[in-house]
Amino acid sequence: MVPAPAPAGRGVGDLGLATPISTVGCTGTPIVLYSSAITPGAYAADVQQALDDHPGASSLRTDQACSSLTPSSDGNPIYAVFRAYPSTGAACAAEGTGASFRLLESGSPDTSTFSC
């Protein structure tokens, strides 16, 4: 099931939340992945809850982002809530060792991770 079209002036897949969906470049930007919403009927509620839990975070739809992110789950899009950092060192300093770290790049989901 594909989510409803984006509200006017917003990106494809936007859920109509107060925080618009993000568009990212695949330039190797390090991110911390906080949450992944995988249930079509609950996308908006799940993403909003994760955004509330992580003020200043952003969201994206992985099948419309970089190949370093898993594009779907059981054939459905995945919405990810994340925070971008200027470097892997900055991500590690801010988030510590228990976080899920990824690079926004044109790599494989299996090889586009990093640890602190």
Side-chain angles (χ1 to χ4, degrees), residues 7-114:
R10 295 200 175 208
V12 175
D14 189 273
L15 297 169
L17 304 175
T19 303
I21 197 165
S22 295
T23 302
V24 298
C26 303
T27 59
T29 300
I31 66 167
V32 172
L33 183 61
Y34 296 121
S35 178
S36 295
I38 60 170
T39 305
Y43 285 143
D46 291 349
V47 169
Q48 186 61 60
Q49 182 62 58
L51 290 170
D52 291 346
D53 291 346
H54 302 282
S58 301
S59 68
L60 57 76
R61 194 169 125 173
T62 60
D63 65 334
Q64 296 172 351
C66 305
S67 61
S68 59
L69 301 172
T70 303
S72 64
S73 174
D74 294 330
N76 295 310
I78 299 170
Y79 283 83
V81 175
F82 70 99
R83 184 181 315 273
Y85 287 91
S87 68
T88 56
C92 290
E95 301 291 341
T97 58
S100 177
F101 298 103
R102 293 237 175 237
L103 298 172
L104 293 176
E105 62 184 7
S106 297
S108 161
D110 296 330
T111 61
S112 296
T113 64
F114 66 96

